[in-house]
PDB file of all heavy atoms in Angstrom:
ATOM      1  N   TYR A 174      46.653 -33.707 -45.629  1.00  0.00           N
ATOM      2  CA  TYR A 174      45.989 -32.528 -46.192  1.00  0.00           C
ATOM      3  C   TYR A 174      44.501 -32.797 -46.394  1.00  0.00           C
ATOM      4  O   TYR A 174      43.651 -31.976 -46.026  1.00  0.00           O
ATOM      5  CB  TYR A 174      46.638 -32.154 -47.524  1.00  0.00           C
ATOM      6  CG  TYR A 174      45.872 -31.100 -48.292  1.00  0.00           C
ATOM      7  CD1 TYR A 174      45.916 -29.759 -47.909  1.00  0.00           C
ATOM      8  CD2 TYR A 174      45.090 -31.460 -49.394  1.00  0.00           C
ATOM      9  CE1 TYR A 174      45.190 -28.796 -48.601  1.00  0.00           C
ATOM     10  CE2 TYR A 174      44.370 -30.499 -50.099  1.00  0.00           C
ATOM     11  CZ  TYR A 174      44.424 -29.174 -49.689  1.00  0.00           C
ATOM     12  OH  TYR A 174      43.714 -28.216 -50.388  1.00  0.00           O
ATOM     13  N   THR A 175      44.185 -33.966 -46.961  1.00  0.00           N
ATOM     14  CA  THR A 175      42.793 -34.301 -47.259  1.00  0.00           C
ATOM     15  C   THR A 175      41.959 -34.405 -45.992  1.00  0.00           C
ATOM     16  O   THR A 175      40.807 -33.960 -45.943  1.00  0.00           O
ATOM     17  CB  THR A 175      42.715 -35.625 -48.040  1.00  0.00           C
ATOM     18  OG1 THR A 175      43.468 -35.502 -49.254  1.00  0.00           O
ATOM     19  CG2 THR A 175      41.272 -35.986 -48.370  1.00  0.00           C
ATOM     20  N   SER A 176      42.542 -34.989 -44.948  1.00  0.00           N
ATOM     21  CA  SER A 176      41.795 -35.212 -43.716  1.00  0.00           C
ATOM     22  C   SER A 176      41.571 -33.930 -42.924  1.00  0.00           C
ATOM     23  O   SER A 176      40.632 -33.852 -42.119  1.00  0.00           O
ATOM     24  CB  SER A 176      42.509 -36.245 -42.841  1.00  0.00           C
ATOM     25  OG  SER A 176      43.785 -35.766 -42.430  1.00  0.00           O
ATOM     26  N   LYS A 177      42.419 -32.929 -43.140  1.00  0.00           N
ATOM     27  CA  LYS A 177      42.328 -31.719 -42.322  1.00  0.00           C
ATOM     28  C   LYS A 177      41.892 -30.462 -43.078  1.00  0.00           C
ATOM     29  O   LYS A 177      41.647 -29.431 -42.461  1.00  0.00           O
ATOM     30  CB  LYS A 177      43.679 -31.446 -41.653  1.00  0.00           C
ATOM     31  CG  LYS A 177      44.068 -32.507 -40.624  1.00  0.00           C
ATOM     32  CD  LYS A 177      45.316 -32.106 -39.857  1.00  0.00           C
ATOM     33  CE  LYS A 177      45.620 -33.101 -38.746  1.00  0.00           C
ATOM     34  NZ  LYS A 177      46.773 -32.701 -37.926  1.00  0.00           N
ATOM     35  N   LYS A 178      41.775 -30.571 -44.407  1.00  0.00           N
ATOM     36  CA  LYS A 178      41.508 -29.346 -45.168  1.00  0.00           C
ATOM     37  C   LYS A 178      40.130 -28.748 -44.873  1.00  0.00           C
ATOM     38  O   LYS A 178      39.907 -27.559 -45.096  1.00  0.00           O
ATOM     39  CB  LYS A 178      41.643 -29.620 -46.668  1.00  0.00           C
ATOM     40  CG  LYS A 178      40.605 -30.567 -47.232  1.00  0.00           C
ATOM     41  CD  LYS A 178      40.788 -30.741 -48.732  1.00  0.00           C
ATOM     42  CE  LYS A 178      39.728 -31.668 -49.330  1.00  0.00           C
ATOM     43  NZ  LYS A 178      39.876 -31.800 -50.792  1.00  0.00           N
ATOM     44  N   ALA A 179      39.196 -29.572 -44.396  1.00  0.00           N
ATOM     45  CA  ALA A 179      37.849 -29.066 -44.133  1.00  0.00           C
ATOM     46  C   ALA A 179      37.613 -28.721 -42.669  1.00  0.00           C
ATOM     47  O   ALA A 179      36.497 -28.327 -42.304  1.00  0.00           O
ATOM     48  CB  ALA A 179      36.814 -30.109 -44.584  1.00  0.00           C
ATOM     49  N   LEU A 180      38.630 -28.876 -41.819  1.00  0.00           N
ATOM     50  CA  LEU A 180      38.444 -28.548 -40.411  1.00  0.00           C
ATOM     51  C   LEU A 180      38.116 -27.058 -40.261  1.00  0.00           C
ATOM     52  O   LEU A 180      38.855 -26.201 -40.739  1.00  0.00           O
ATOM     53  CB  LEU A 180      39.702 -28.889 -39.612  1.00  0.00           C
ATOM     54  CG  LEU A 180      40.005 -30.386 -39.445  1.00  0.00           C
ATOM     55  CD1 LEU A 180      41.294 -30.574 -38.656  1.00  0.00           C
ATOM     56  CD2 LEU A 180      38.849 -31.098 -38.743  1.00  0.00           C
ATOM     57  N   PRO A 181      37.010 -26.724 -39.602  1.00  0.00           N
ATOM     58  CA  PRO A 181      36.614 -25.320 -39.506  1.00  0.00           C
ATOM     59  C   PRO A 181      37.447 -24.545 -38.491  1.00  0.00           C
ATOM     60  O   PRO A 181      37.945 -25.105 -37.517  1.00  0.00           O
ATOM     61  CB  PRO A 181      35.154 -25.411 -39.045  1.00  0.00           C
ATOM     62  CG  PRO A 181      35.075 -26.699 -38.299  1.00  0.00           C
ATOM     63  CD  PRO A 181      36.027 -27.641 -38.979  1.00  0.00           C
ATOM     64  N   ASP A 182      37.586 -23.270 -38.745  1.00  0.00           N
ATOM     65  CA  ASP A 182      38.218 -22.359 -37.794  1.00  0.00           C
ATOM     66  C   ASP A 182      37.093 -21.668 -37.022  1.00  0.00           C
ATOM     67  O   ASP A 182      36.434 -20.755 -37.524  1.00  0.00           O
ATOM     68  CB  ASP A 182      39.072 -21.331 -38.539  1.00  0.00           C
ATOM     69  CG  ASP A 182      39.780 -20.371 -37.596  1.00  0.00           C
ATOM     70  OD1 ASP A 182      39.582 -20.493 -36.364  1.00  0.00           O
ATOM     71  OD2 ASP A 182      40.515 -19.497 -38.080  1.00  0.00           O
ATOM     72  N   TYR A 183      36.863 -22.113 -35.788  1.00  0.00           N
ATOM     73  CA  TYR A 183      35.741 -21.605 -35.008  1.00  0.00           C
ATOM     74  C   TYR A 183      35.940 -20.160 -34.555  1.00  0.00           C
ATOM     75  O   TYR A 183      34.998 -19.534 -34.074  1.00  0.00           O
ATOM     76  CB  TYR A 183      35.502 -22.496 -33.788  1.00  0.00           C
ATOM     77  CG  TYR A 183      34.992 -23.883 -34.127  1.00  0.00           C
ATOM     78  CD1 TYR A 183      35.317 -24.976 -33.328  1.00  0.00           C
ATOM     79  CD2 TYR A 183      34.171 -24.101 -35.228  1.00  0.00           C
ATOM     80  CE1 TYR A 183      34.841 -26.256 -33.624  1.00  0.00           C
ATOM     81  CE2 TYR A 183      33.695 -25.365 -35.537  1.00  0.00           C
ATOM     82  CZ  TYR A 183      34.027 -26.436 -34.726  1.00  0.00           C
ATOM     83  OH  TYR A 183      33.553 -27.689 -35.021  1.00  0.00           O
ATOM     84  N   ASN A 184      37.143 -19.641 -34.686  1.00  0.00           N
ATOM     85  CA  ASN A 184      37.412 -18.265 -34.260  1.00  0.00           C
ATOM     86  C   ASN A 184      37.308 -17.262 -35.410  1.00  0.00           C
ATOM     87  O   ASN A 184      37.485 -16.072 -35.211  1.00  0.00           O
ATOM     88  CB  ASN A 184      38.818 -18.177 -33.653  1.00  0.00           C
ATOM     89  CG  ASN A 184      38.948 -18.999 -32.380  1.00  0.00           C
ATOM     90  OD1 ASN A 184      38.083 -18.948 -31.520  1.00  0.00           O
ATOM     91  ND2 ASN A 184      40.023 -19.764 -32.267  1.00  0.00           N
ATOM     92  N   LYS A 185      37.007 -17.759 -36.585  1.00  0.00           N
ATOM     93  CA  LYS A 185      36.981 -16.906 -37.775  1.00  0.00           C
ATOM     94  C   LYS A 185      35.638 -16.202 -37.928  1.00  0.00           C
ATOM     95  O   LYS A 185      34.582 -16.812 -37.723  1.00  0.00           O
ATOM     96  CB  LYS A 185      37.262 -17.764 -39.011  1.00  0.00           C
ATOM     97  CG  LYS A 185      37.231 -17.011 -40.330  1.00  0.00           C
ATOM     98  CD  LYS A 185      37.467 -17.976 -41.487  1.00  0.00           C
ATOM     99  CE  LYS A 185      37.364 -17.272 -42.830  1.00  0.00           C
ATOM    100  NZ  LYS A 185      37.563 -18.222 -43.956  1.00  0.00           N
ATOM    101  N   ASP A 186      35.669 -14.937 -38.275  1.00  0.00           N
ATOM    102  CA  ASP A 186      34.442 -14.203 -38.607  1.00  0.00           C
ATOM    103  C   ASP A 186      34.011 -14.578 -40.019  1.00  0.00           C
ATOM    104  O   ASP A 186      34.832 -14.661 -40.938  1.00  0.00           O
ATOM    105  CB  ASP A 186      34.675 -12.693 -38.531  1.00  0.00           C
ATOM    106  CG  ASP A 186      34.847 -12.216 -37.097  1.00  0.00           C
ATOM    107  OD1 ASP A 186      34.336 -12.895 -36.190  1.00  0.00           O
ATOM    108  OD2 ASP A 186      35.486 -11.176 -36.890  1.00  0.00           O
ATOM    109  N   VAL A 187      32.731 -14.819 -40.200  1.00  0.00           N
ATOM    110  CA  VAL A 187      32.188 -15.238 -41.496  1.00  0.00           C
ATOM    111  C   VAL A 187      31.133 -14.232 -41.949  1.00  0.00           C
ATOM    112  O   VAL A 187      30.304 -13.792 -41.146  1.00  0.00           O
ATOM    113  CB  VAL A 187      31.560 -16.649 -41.409  1.00  0.00           C
ATOM    114  CG1 VAL A 187      30.915 -17.022 -42.739  1.00  0.00           C
ATOM    115  CG2 VAL A 187      32.602 -17.681 -41.012  1.00  0.00           C
ATOM    116  N   ILE A 188      31.170 -13.873 -43.216  1.00  0.00           N
ATOM    117  CA  ILE A 188      30.164 -12.970 -43.782  1.00  0.00           C
ATOM    118  C   ILE A 188      29.132 -13.819 -44.519  1.00  0.00           C
ATOM    119  O   ILE A 188      29.432 -14.434 -45.544  1.00  0.00           O
ATOM    120  CB  ILE A 188      30.798 -11.955 -44.750  1.00  0.00           C
ATOM    121  CG1 ILE A 188      31.801 -11.074 -44.007  1.00  0.00           C
ATOM    122  CG2 ILE A 188      29.716 -11.101 -45.408  1.00  0.00           C
ATOM    123  CD1 ILE A 188      32.533 -10.092 -44.899  1.00  0.00           C
ATOM    124  N   LEU A 189      27.919 -13.875 -43.967  1.00  0.00           N
ATOM    125  CA  LEU A 189      26.836 -14.622 -44.596  1.00  0.00           C
ATOM    126  C   LEU A 189      25.915 -13.643 -45.323  1.00  0.00           C
ATOM    127  O   LEU A 189      25.480 -12.639 -44.751  1.00  0.00           O
ATOM    128  CB  LEU A 189      26.023 -15.392 -43.554  1.00  0.00           C
ATOM    129  CG  LEU A 189      26.590 -16.714 -43.032  1.00  0.00           C
ATOM    130  CD1 LEU A 189      25.597 -17.356 -42.081  1.00  0.00           C
ATOM    131  CD2 LEU A 189      26.924 -17.657 -44.161  1.00  0.00           C
ATOM    132  N   GLN A 190      25.639 -13.942 -46.579  1.00  0.00           N
ATOM    133  CA  GLN A 190      24.708 -13.125 -47.336  1.00  0.00           C
ATOM    134  C   GLN A 190      23.281 -13.374 -46.840  1.00  0.00           C
ATOM    135  O   GLN A 190      22.909 -14.483 -46.491  1.00  0.00           O
ATOM    136  CB  GLN A 190      24.801 -13.461 -48.825  1.00  0.00           C
ATOM    137  CG  GLN A 190      26.186 -13.286 -49.422  1.00  0.00           C
ATOM    138  CD  GLN A 190      26.693 -11.865 -49.329  1.00  0.00           C
ATOM    139  OE1 GLN A 190      25.912 -10.915 -49.530  1.00  0.00           O
ATOM    140  NE2 GLN A 190      27.970 -11.694 -49.041  1.00  0.00           N
ATOM    141  N   GLY A 191      22.484 -12.327 -46.811  1.00  0.00           N
ATOM    142  CA  GLY A 191      21.071 -12.476 -46.460  1.00  0.00           C
ATOM    143  C   GLY A 191      20.745 -12.223 -45.007  1.00  0.00           C
ATOM    144  O   GLY A 191      19.565 -12.235 -44.629  1.00  0.00           O
ATOM    145  N   LEU A 192      21.751 -12.015 -44.164  1.00  0.00           N
ATOM    146  CA  LEU A 192      21.481 -11.727 -42.760  1.00  0.00           C
ATOM    147  C   LEU A 192      20.892 -10.331 -42.600  1.00  0.00           C
ATOM    148  O   LEU A 192      21.337  -9.376 -43.242  1.00  0.00           O
ATOM    149  CB  LEU A 192      22.760 -11.834 -41.934  1.00  0.00           C
ATOM    150  CG  LEU A 192      23.402 -13.216 -41.760  1.00  0.00           C
ATOM    151  CD1 LEU A 192      24.653 -13.116 -40.908  1.00  0.00           C
ATOM    152  CD2 LEU A 192      22.403 -14.196 -41.150  1.00  0.00           C
ATOM    153  N   VAL A 193      19.918 -10.234 -41.713  1.00  0.00           N
ATOM    154  CA  VAL A 193      19.323  -8.929 -41.420  1.00  0.00           C
ATOM    155  C   VAL A 193      20.223  -8.145 -40.471  1.00  0.00           C
ATOM    156  O   VAL A 193      20.382  -6.932 -40.606  1.00  0.00           O
ATOM    157  CB  VAL A 193      17.916  -9.109 -40.803  1.00  0.00           C
ATOM    158  CG1 VAL A 193      17.340  -7.758 -40.357  1.00  0.00           C
ATOM    159  CG2 VAL A 193      16.986  -9.777 -41.804  1.00  0.00           C
ATOM    160  N   SER A 194      20.804  -8.855 -39.509  1.00  0.00           N
ATOM    161  CA  SER A 194      21.705  -8.209 -38.560  1.00  0.00           C
ATOM    162  C   SER A 194      22.772  -9.222 -38.123  1.00  0.00           C
ATOM    163  O   SER A 194      22.747 -10.386 -38.516  1.00  0.00           O
ATOM    164  CB  SER A 194      20.931  -7.674 -37.350  1.00  0.00           C
ATOM    165  OG  SER A 194      20.224  -8.726 -36.716  1.00  0.00           O
ATOM    166  N   GLU A 195      23.668  -8.765 -37.294  1.00  0.00           N
ATOM    167  CA  GLU A 195      24.785  -9.608 -36.864  1.00  0.00           C
ATOM    168  C   GLU A 195      24.295 -10.807 -36.043  1.00  0.00           C
ATOM    169  O   GLU A 195      23.383 -10.703 -35.230  1.00  0.00           O
ATOM    170  CB  GLU A 195      25.760  -8.777 -36.034  1.00  0.00           C
ATOM    171  CG  GLU A 195      26.999  -9.547 -35.590  1.00  0.00           C
ATOM    172  CD  GLU A 195      27.926  -8.691 -34.740  1.00  0.00           C
ATOM    173  OE1 GLU A 195      27.520  -8.319 -33.618  1.00  0.00           O
ATOM    174  OE2 GLU A 195      29.049  -8.407 -35.202  1.00  0.00           O
ATOM    175  N   VAL A 196      24.928 -11.945 -36.261  1.00  0.00           N
ATOM    176  CA  VAL A 196      24.662 -13.156 -35.489  1.00  0.00           C
ATOM    177  C   VAL A 196      25.950 -13.530 -34.760  1.00  0.00           C
ATOM    178  O   VAL A 196      27.019 -13.606 -35.370  1.00  0.00           O
ATOM    179  CB  VAL A 196      24.216 -14.330 -36.393  1.00  0.00           C
ATOM    180  CG1 VAL A 196      24.055 -15.604 -35.566  1.00  0.00           C
ATOM    181  CG2 VAL A 196      22.925 -13.986 -37.108  1.00  0.00           C
ATOM    182  N   ARG A 197      25.833 -13.766 -33.482  1.00  0.00           N
ATOM    183  CA  ARG A 197      26.995 -14.178 -32.695  1.00  0.00           C
ATOM    184  C   ARG A 197      26.896 -15.678 -32.401  1.00  0.00           C
ATOM    185  O   ARG A 197      25.834 -16.191 -32.051  1.00  0.00           O
ATOM    186  CB  ARG A 197      27.079 -13.394 -31.387  1.00  0.00           C
ATOM    187  CG  ARG A 197      27.402 -11.919 -31.592  1.00  0.00           C
ATOM    188  CD  ARG A 197      27.673 -11.220 -30.270  1.00  0.00           C
ATOM    189  NE  ARG A 197      28.086  -9.854 -30.480  1.00  0.00           N
ATOM    190  CZ  ARG A 197      29.347  -9.477 -30.698  1.00  0.00           C
ATOM    191  NH1 ARG A 197      30.320 -10.381 -30.706  1.00  0.00           N
ATOM    192  NH2 ARG A 197      29.636  -8.199 -30.878  1.00  0.00           N
ATOM    193  N   VAL A 198      28.025 -16.354 -32.547  1.00  0.00           N
ATOM    194  CA  VAL A 198      28.095 -17.796 -32.294  1.00  0.00           C
ATOM    195  C   VAL A 198      29.216 -18.070 -31.305  1.00  0.00           C
ATOM    196  O   VAL A 198      30.357 -17.641 -31.510  1.00  0.00           O
ATOM    197  CB  VAL A 198      28.343 -18.593 -33.593  1.00  0.00           C
ATOM    198  CG1 VAL A 198      28.456 -20.091 -33.287  1.00  0.00           C
ATOM    199  CG2 VAL A 198      27.243 -18.335 -34.608  1.00  0.00           C
ATOM    200  N   TYR A 199      28.869 -18.762 -30.236  1.00  0.00           N
ATOM    201  CA  TYR A 199      29.856 -19.152 -29.230  1.00  0.00           C
ATOM    202  C   TYR A 199      29.948 -20.674 -29.201  1.00  0.00           C
ATOM    203  O   TYR A 199      28.916 -21.363 -29.227  1.00  0.00           O
ATOM    204  CB  TYR A 199      29.454 -18.622 -27.856  1.00  0.00           C
ATOM    205  CG  TYR A 199      29.281 -17.120 -27.796  1.00  0.00           C
ATOM    206  CD1 TYR A 199      28.029 -16.543 -28.019  1.00  0.00           C
ATOM    207  CD2 TYR A 199      30.359 -16.288 -27.528  1.00  0.00           C
ATOM    208  CE1 TYR A 199      27.861 -15.167 -27.979  1.00  0.00           C
ATOM    209  CE2 TYR A 199      30.204 -14.910 -27.484  1.00  0.00           C
ATOM    210  CZ  TYR A 199      28.947 -14.354 -27.710  1.00  0.00           C
ATOM    211  OH  TYR A 199      28.793 -12.989 -27.671  1.00  0.00           O
ATOM    212  N   ARG A 200      31.144 -21.194 -29.156  1.00  0.00           N
ATOM    213  CA  ARG A 200      31.353 -22.636 -29.031  1.00  0.00           C
ATOM    214  C   ARG A 200      31.844 -22.919 -27.613  1.00  0.00           C
ATOM    215  O   ARG A 200      32.800 -22.298 -27.139  1.00  0.00           O
ATOM    216  CB  ARG A 200      32.400 -23.119 -30.030  1.00  0.00           C
ATOM    217  CG  ARG A 200      32.011 -22.944 -31.489  1.00  0.00           C
ATOM    218  CD  ARG A 200      31.343 -24.167 -32.032  1.00  0.00           C
ATOM    219  NE  ARG A 200      31.108 -24.080 -33.475  1.00  0.00           N
ATOM    220  CZ  ARG A 200      30.674 -25.078 -34.220  1.00  0.00           C
ATOM    221  NH1 ARG A 200      30.430 -26.252 -33.666  1.00  0.00           N
ATOM    222  NH2 ARG A 200      30.474 -24.917 -35.517  1.00  0.00           N
ATOM    223  N   ASP A 201      31.194 -23.884 -26.957  1.00  0.00           N
ATOM    224  CA  ASP A 201      31.643 -24.227 -25.616  1.00  0.00           C
ATOM    225  C   ASP A 201      32.791 -25.237 -25.679  1.00  0.00           C
ATOM    226  O   ASP A 201      33.336 -25.508 -26.751  1.00  0.00           O
ATOM    227  CB  ASP A 201      30.474 -24.749 -24.775  1.00  0.00           C
ATOM    228  CG  ASP A 201      29.836 -26.007 -25.346  1.00  0.00           C
ATOM    229  OD1 ASP A 201      30.505 -26.735 -26.105  1.00  0.00           O
ATOM    230  OD2 ASP A 201      28.663 -26.275 -25.036  1.00  0.00           O
ATOM    231  N   SER A 202      33.178 -25.800 -24.540  1.00  0.00           N
ATOM    232  CA  SER A 202      34.322 -26.702 -24.487  1.00  0.00           C
ATOM    233  C   SER A 202      34.089 -28.004 -25.251  1.00  0.00           C
ATOM    234  O   SER A 202      35.029 -28.726 -25.556  1.00  0.00           O
ATOM    235  CB  SER A 202      34.666 -27.029 -23.022  1.00  0.00           C
ATOM    236  OG  SER A 202      33.557 -27.631 -22.369  1.00  0.00           O
ATOM    237  N   PHE A 203      32.823 -28.304 -25.580  1.00  0.00           N
ATOM    238  CA  PHE A 203      32.500 -29.487 -26.372  1.00  0.00           C
ATOM    239  C   PHE A 203      32.246 -29.136 -27.836  1.00  0.00           C
ATOM    240  O   PHE A 203      31.778 -29.975 -28.601  1.00  0.00           O
ATOM    241  CB  PHE A 203      31.273 -30.193 -25.795  1.00  0.00           C
ATOM    242  CG  PHE A 203      31.468 -30.711 -24.403  1.00  0.00           C
ATOM    243  CD1 PHE A 203      30.953 -30.023 -23.315  1.00  0.00           C
ATOM    244  CD2 PHE A 203      32.189 -31.884 -24.175  1.00  0.00           C
ATOM    245  CE1 PHE A 203      31.125 -30.496 -22.021  1.00  0.00           C
ATOM    246  CE2 PHE A 203      32.365 -32.354 -22.882  1.00  0.00           C
ATOM    247  CZ  PHE A 203      31.846 -31.669 -21.803  1.00  0.00           C
ATOM    248  N   ALA A 204      32.545 -27.883 -28.202  1.00  0.00           N
ATOM    249  CA  ALA A 204      32.337 -27.375 -29.566  1.00  0.00           C
ATOM    250  C   ALA A 204      30.859 -27.283 -29.937  1.00  0.00           C
ATOM    251  O   ALA A 204      30.514 -27.186 -31.108  1.00  0.00           O
ATOM    252  CB  ALA A 204      33.084 -28.217 -30.601  1.00  0.00           C
ATOM    253  N   ILE A 205      29.969 -27.312 -28.956  1.00  0.00           N
ATOM    254  CA  ILE A 205      28.541 -27.156 -29.217  1.00  0.00           C
ATOM    255  C   ILE A 205      28.262 -25.688 -29.530  1.00  0.00           C
ATOM    256  O   ILE A 205      28.630 -24.804 -28.746  1.00  0.00           O
ATOM    257  CB  ILE A 205      27.713 -27.613 -28.005  1.00  0.00           C
ATOM    258  CG1 ILE A 205      27.915 -29.116 -27.762  1.00  0.00           C
ATOM    259  CG2 ILE A 205      26.233 -27.293 -28.205  1.00  0.00           C
ATOM    260  CD1 ILE A 205      27.326 -29.613 -26.464  1.00  0.00           C
ATOM    261  N   PRO A 206      27.623 -25.387 -30.658  1.00  0.00           N
ATOM    262  CA  PRO A 206      27.383 -23.984 -31.012  1.00  0.00           C
ATOM    263  C   PRO A 206      26.206 -23.376 -30.253  1.00  0.00           C
ATOM    264  O   PRO A 206      25.166 -24.013 -30.074  1.00  0.00           O
ATOM    265  CB  PRO A 206      27.076 -24.062 -32.520  1.00  0.00           C
ATOM    266  CG  PRO A 206      26.547 -25.438 -32.731  1.00  0.00           C
ATOM    267  CD  PRO A 206      27.223 -26.321 -31.726  1.00  0.00           C
ATOM    268  N   HIS A 207      26.398 -22.156 -29.803  1.00  0.00           N
ATOM    269  CA  HIS A 207      25.352 -21.371 -29.152  1.00  0.00           C
ATOM    270  C   HIS A 207      25.130 -20.139 -30.036  1.00  0.00           C
ATOM    271  O   HIS A 207      26.024 -19.296 -30.172  1.00  0.00           O
ATOM    272  CB  HIS A 207      25.774 -20.962 -27.743  1.00  0.00           C
ATOM    273  CG  HIS A 207      26.055 -22.137 -26.846  1.00  0.00           C
ATOM    274  ND1 HIS A 207      25.175 -22.554 -25.875  1.00  0.00           N
ATOM    275  CD2 HIS A 207      27.114 -22.985 -26.794  1.00  0.00           C
ATOM    276  CE1 HIS A 207      25.679 -23.613 -25.250  1.00  0.00           C
ATOM    277  NE2 HIS A 207      26.856 -23.883 -25.790  1.00  0.00           N
ATOM    278  N   ILE A 208      23.951 -20.044 -30.630  1.00  0.00           N
ATOM    279  CA  ILE A 208      23.657 -19.009 -31.625  1.00  0.00           C
ATOM    280  C   ILE A 208      22.783 -17.922 -31.002  1.00  0.00           C
ATOM    281  O   ILE A 208      21.724 -18.214 -30.433  1.00  0.00           O
ATOM    282  CB  ILE A 208      22.928 -19.620 -32.838  1.00  0.00           C
ATOM    283  CG1 ILE A 208      23.792 -20.712 -33.478  1.00  0.00           C
ATOM    284  CG2 ILE A 208      22.571 -18.550 -33.858  1.00  0.00           C
ATOM    285  CD1 ILE A 208      23.061 -21.502 -34.560  1.00  0.00           C
ATOM    286  N   LEU A 209      23.223 -16.696 -31.109  1.00  0.00           N
ATOM    287  CA  LEU A 209      22.454 -15.558 -30.621  1.00  0.00           C
ATOM    288  C   LEU A 209      22.144 -14.652 -31.804  1.00  0.00           C
ATOM    289  O   LEU A 209      23.046 -14.053 -32.405  1.00  0.00           O
ATOM    290  CB  LEU A 209      23.228 -14.787 -29.548  1.00  0.00           C
ATOM    291  CG  LEU A 209      22.529 -13.560 -28.956  1.00  0.00           C
ATOM    292  CD1 LEU A 209      21.209 -13.948 -28.289  1.00  0.00           C
ATOM    293  CD2 LEU A 209      23.434 -12.849 -27.960  1.00  0.00           C
ATOM    294  N   ALA A 210      20.855 -14.564 -32.185  1.00  0.00           N
ATOM    295  CA  ALA A 210      20.440 -13.767 -33.332  1.00  0.00           C
ATOM    296  C   ALA A 210      19.273 -12.865 -32.934  1.00  0.00           C
ATOM    297  O   ALA A 210      18.663 -13.037 -31.872  1.00  0.00           O
ATOM    298  CB  ALA A 210      20.028 -14.683 -34.489  1.00  0.00           C
ATOM    299  N   THR A 211      18.951 -11.909 -33.803  1.00  0.00           N
ATOM    300  CA  THR A 211      17.856 -10.984 -33.519  1.00  0.00           C
ATOM    301  C   THR A 211      16.545 -11.431 -34.150  1.00  0.00           C
ATOM    302  O   THR A 211      15.489 -10.872 -33.855  1.00  0.00           O
ATOM    303  CB  THR A 211      18.192  -9.568 -34.026  1.00  0.00           C
ATOM    304  OG1 THR A 211      18.417  -9.621 -35.444  1.00  0.00           O
ATOM    305  CG2 THR A 211      19.451  -9.033 -33.343  1.00  0.00           C
TER     306      THR A 211
END
């Protein structure tokens, strides 16, 4: 439980406070994040 409780769910939508508009994040096969913002 301890080792896995912080593993992120990369498919989950997250609501971040302070965003001006929607930000899209894509993870490739190496889990490298690709951020597309306005």
Side-chain angles (χ1 to χ4, degrees):
Y174 170 76
T175 301
S176 64
K177 294 188 175 184
K178 66 178 181 178
L180 290 179
D182 181 359
Y183 292 149
N184 296 315
K185 179 182 177 181
D186 289 335
V187 176
I188 298 177
L189 280 184
Q190 302 299 320
L192 292 180
V193 174
S194 58
E195 183 181 66
V196 176
R197 292 188 175 273
V198 178
Y199 302 92
R200 297 267 187 172
D201 61 23
S202 59
F203 297 102
I205 296 170
H207 300 256
I208 301 172
L209 180 60
T211 60

